[in-house]
Amino acid sequence: MLKTRVAVLVSGGGTNLEQLLLAQEEGRLPHGEIVLVLSNKPGVYALERAANHGVPGRVVESSGVSQAEFEAGLQAALEEARVEMIVLAGFLRILSPEFIEKWPERIINVHPSLIPSFCGQGFYGLKVHEAALAYGVKLSGATVHLVNQIPDGGRILRQKAVEVLPGDTPEIL
């Protein structure tokens, strides 16, 4: 069976990436294959995680260049690897509508909260969990959604709730 060629875009440590790579190795991604990990920052641990699993990693720096230059570099790297789908897993850059239009219904975002809670500007990584704990929610979770141009940010594919327990820290949550 042909598998969809997937690139995972990251900006940091790559904890979500690690879980995707483990799922791939365990056969839980039967229809896709992670063929490339792209980071917008050099030296992030996610690139080491990719290498540890035998997946090529590459940096397309976002600092010091325009959005258009950055996205042209991303597009070139994705085309070179013949990528068919993109997964944003801890990727801390906003992609332009022009870039997203080139990938219709082929960009999936992993967000560390139950959308619409704790999302938007400034809500990423541990900041999401810090905010959830500060607010006192009893349930938190994660959302996987398809990215597109509609105002609500895309179609939710799956949400998973977890109970917030006494003593939970942002790291535990």
Side-chain angles (χ1 to χ4, degrees):
M1 169 188 346
L2 291 177
K3 293 185 174 194
T4 301
R5 296 176 62 83
V6 177
V8 181
L9 277 58
V10 297
S11 294
T15 54
N16 285 331
L17 169 66
E18 181 74 20
Q19 293 307 306
L20 290 168
L21 292 167
L22 290 171
Q24 177 170 275
E25 290 168 0
E26 295 166 3
R28 293 184 286 127
L29 297 179
H31 304 291
E33 177 184 9
I34 300 169
V35 298
L36 180 64
V37 173
L38 283 171
S39 176
N40 64 310
K41 298 178 180 180
V44 297
Y45 188 58
L47 295 172
E48 188 174 326
R49 288 182 195 268
N52 291 342
H53 290 271
V55 175
R58 187 165 168 185
V59 176
V60 178
E61 285 198 60
S62 58
S63 63
V65 298
S66 70
Q67 183 78 9
E69 291 170 315
F70 169 62
E71 289 179 352
L74 277 182
Q75 186 69 26
L78 295 165
E79 288 174 4
E80 183 180 311
R82 300 184 330 275
V83 167
E84 299 166 298
M85 175 165 272
I86 299 168
V87 174
L88 308 175
F91 186 63
L92 301 181
R93 289 292 309 219
I94 302 295
L95 297 169
S96 72
E98 294 77 22
F99 183 88
I100 293 169
E101 285 172 8
K102 294 177 186 173
W103 296 88
E105 295 193 4
R106 294 184 293 148
I107 301 175
I108 293 174
N109 185 44
V110 178
H111 186 72
S113 79
L114 299 172
I115 291 175
S117 300
F118 308 108
C119 60
Q121 187 70 29
F123 286 105
Y124 59 89
L126 288 178
K127 294 180 181 198
V128 170
H129 307 307
E130 290 166 353
L133 291 170
Y135 193 80
V137 299
K138 301 298 181 205
L139 287 176
S140 190
T143 302
V144 176
H145 66 100
L146 204 56
V147 176
N148 62 26
Q149 295 305 316
I150 62 175
D152 67 3
R155 181 167 50 99
I156 291 176
L157 300 176
R158 182 150 193 221
Q159 290 188 306
K160 175 71 175 177
V162 295
E163 186 178 356
V164 178
L165 301 173
D168 273 355
T169 65
E171 293 79 10
I172 291 170
L173 192 54

